[in-house]
């Protein structure tokens, strides 16, 4: 029988780690006591220090209950990170992201080590998924030295896959007891959004569509899941115009998820168009392509066309099948929302569900 470990640390960071990081000057600016900020060896503010992520190492006891936070403290930590850190406007958002990303990894680590129960684990992983997807959109135009989109996407995939496994496990819970039934209904409110996010992130994927079609009826009929399925089916049929049209009807967090795949959508659309509109004489209007494929800047349209070997002259594109380079990947990222709009969406995306 597997031993159950129950964390006993009732603060966001264990005292032992806080003292060690203070002694070794490993405190983040967000964690320093304001009255000591200018000093050579700043002190930690116990109310601001958050446990950092650490890999297992020889001689390090990762299962010490004193170093692990129970579910209620982990949820309180997420609430602190989202309400007090992500909303800051005095630092660049890459700094905010790096700090929150690391501290959320530590939260996930505590969950796994303790094997926290399904219901609590779901409540912890849902906001983490939202943060990672929101960050993917907010930082998509940054250089790789500022934001590693590939790493972020990897963590999105890991977290949402784990979350779906938790949902499947929760579905097996006996719902005959009233308290369990009430809790199940509460979880379904957020679940329909998470299931829709999974469909959007894997649009056109038959496994994701199969899962969607086998969801409980109440989830399958929810507006988010219905729209996500329409987009996924459209992409499966390579109807790029319908995909991009439907994306604009999504809620902000789902748009953020859809934009993770926008480069692939645009490349595939241009490949199809190069075959369908193949000509050495007639051109396709760049402004129309900008509207069709959700570009915000005609200059990005031009950069993509040239990247794929298509001639772009006077804001018109010469679509020649023979010249199309389908083996390259666009790095010309752009935000669907402005940074100000994304900041304004913070309460709706990250804070509303806490």
């Amino acid at each position: 029988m597997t031993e159950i470990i129950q964390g006993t640390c009732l603060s966001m960071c264990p005292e032992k780690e806080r003292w060690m990081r203070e002694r070794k000057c490993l405190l983040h600016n967000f964690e320093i006591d304001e009255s000591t900020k200018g000093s050579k060896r700043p002190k930690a503010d116990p109310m601001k220090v958050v446990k950092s992520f650490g890999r297992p190492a020889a001689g390090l006891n990762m299962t010490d209950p004193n170093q692990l936070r129970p579910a209620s403290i982990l949820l309180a930590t997420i609430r602190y990170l989202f309400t007090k850190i992500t909303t800051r406007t005095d630092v660049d958002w890459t700094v905010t992201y790096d700090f929150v990303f690391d501290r959320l990894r530590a939260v996930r680590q505590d969950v796994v080590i303790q094997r926290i129960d399904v219901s609590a684990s779901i409540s912890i992983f849902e906001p983490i998924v939202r943060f990672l997807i929101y960050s993917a959109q907010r930082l998509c135009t940054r250089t790789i030295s500022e934001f590693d989109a590939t790493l972020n996407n990897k963590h999105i995939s890991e977290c949402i896959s784990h979350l779906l496994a938790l949902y499947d496990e929760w579905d097996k819970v006996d719902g005959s007891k009233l308290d369990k039934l009430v809790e199940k209904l509460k979880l379904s409110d957020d679940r329909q959004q998470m299931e829709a996010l999974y469909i959007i992130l894997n649009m056109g994927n038959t496994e994701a569509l199969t899962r969607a079609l086998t969801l409980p009826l109440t989830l399958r009929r929810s507006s988010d899941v219905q729209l996500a399925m329409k987009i996924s089916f459209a992409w499966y049929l390579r109807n790029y115009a319908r995909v991009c049209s439907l994306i604009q009807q999504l809620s902000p967090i789902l748009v953020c998820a859809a934009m993770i795949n926008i480069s692939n959508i645009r490349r595939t659309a241009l490949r199809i168009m190069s075959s369908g509109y193949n000509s050495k004489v007639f051109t396709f209007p760049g402004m129309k392509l900008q509207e069709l494929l959700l570009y915000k800047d005609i200059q990005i349209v031009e950069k993509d066309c040239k990247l794929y070997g298509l001639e772009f002259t006077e804001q018109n594109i010469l679509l020649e099948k023979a010249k199309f380079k389908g083996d390259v990947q666009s790095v010309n990222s752009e935000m669907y929302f402005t940074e100000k709009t994304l900041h304004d969406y913070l309460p709706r995306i990250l804070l509303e569900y806490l």
Side-chain angles (χ1 to χ4, degrees), residues 76-91:
T77 300
I78 292 174
R79 194 172 293 112
Y80 168 79
L81 291 170
F82 284 9
T83 57
K84 302 298 183 182
I85 304 299
T86 65
T87 54
R88 293 180 65 140
T89 56
D90 59 329
V91 293

Side-chain angles (χ1 to χ4, degrees), residues 139-294:
L139 299 174
C140 67
T141 59
R142 301 303 185 100
T143 63
I144 193 168
S145 62
E146 295 176 300
F147 173 67
D148 189 337
T150 302
L151 178 63
N152 190 71
N153 291 344
K154 177 176 176 286
H155 281 269
I156 291 174
S157 180
E158 288 176 358
C159 289
I160 204 158
S161 294
H162 183 67
L163 188 54
L164 296 189
L166 290 170
Y167 288 142
D168 292 342
E169 190 175 343
W170 182 253
D171 284 340
K172 299 172 186 175
V173 173
D174 180 16
S176 59
K177 294 181 180 179
L178 182 61
D179 58 340
K180 288 290 181 185
L181 184 60
V182 170
E183 195 170 5
K184 199 164 187 174
L185 289 170
K186 178 182 176 295
L187 288 175
S188 69
D189 291 341
D190 287 348
R191 181 177 173 180
Q192 58 95 13
Q193 185 187 78
M194 292 295 128
E195 294 283 1
L197 282 170
Y198 177 69
I199 298 165
I200 291 295
L201 289 167
N202 297 277
M203 63 176 72
N205 181 283
T206 54
E207 287 185 18
L209 280 168
T210 300
R211 176 184 174 85
L213 291 168
T214 56
L215 287 172
L217 198 58
T218 51
L219 286 169
R220 198 163 70 247
R221 285 182 174 175
S222 68
S223 57
D224 280 349
V225 171
Q226 283 282 305
L227 186 51
M229 286 174 67
K230 287 179 182 177
I231 291 171
S232 190
F233 275 123
W235 187 239
Y236 180 77
L237 298 170
R238 291 297 182 263
N239 186 344
Y240 56 85
R242 180 167 170 76
V243 168
C244 292
S245 174
L246 291 173
I247 283 174
Q248 297 174 80
Q249 299 176 31
L250 293 168
S251 63
I253 184 64
L254 290 169
V255 171
C256 291
M259 294 307 288
I260 291 173
N261 291 318
I262 195 65
S263 292
N264 183 45
I265 292 171
R266 289 169 175 171
R267 181 182 60 197
T268 304
L270 286 168
R271 178 177 57 76
I272 295 170
M273 292 175 72
S274 294
S275 295
Y277 297 98
N278 184 36
S279 174
K280 294 183 179 180
V281 180
F282 299 109
T283 58
F284 190 91
M287 296 296 286
K288 181 63 180 177
L289 185 70
Q290 179 181 350
E291 176 190 343
L292 192 65
L293 299 182
L294 306 181

Side-chain angles (χ1 to χ4, degrees), residues 85-130:
I85 304 299
T86 65
T87 54
R88 293 180 65 140
T89 56
D90 59 329
V91 293
D92 189 273
W93 220 78
T94 55
V95 177
T96 300
Y97 169 81
D98 287 341
F99 179 78
V100 177
F101 177 81
D102 178 84
R103 280 16 180 206
L104 289 179
R105 285 191 76 180
V107 167
R108 288 159 55 192
Q109 192 174 53
D110 278 15
V111 171
V112 172
I113 292 172
Q114 295 176 82
R115 293 184 175 86
I116 286 174
D117 71 85
V118 175
S119 175
S121 293
I122 289 172
S123 298
I124 289 167
F125 270 82
E126 284 174 343
I128 292 175
V129 168
R130 290 190 187 99

Side-chain angles (χ1 to χ4, degrees), residues 18 22 27 31-34 43-49:
R18 188 176 78 236
E22 183 179 85
L27 294 170
E31 302 172 317
I32 294 172
D33 186 326
E34 291 293 328
K43 300 291 183 182
D45 185 333
M47 301 302 292
K48 294 180 180 179
V49 182

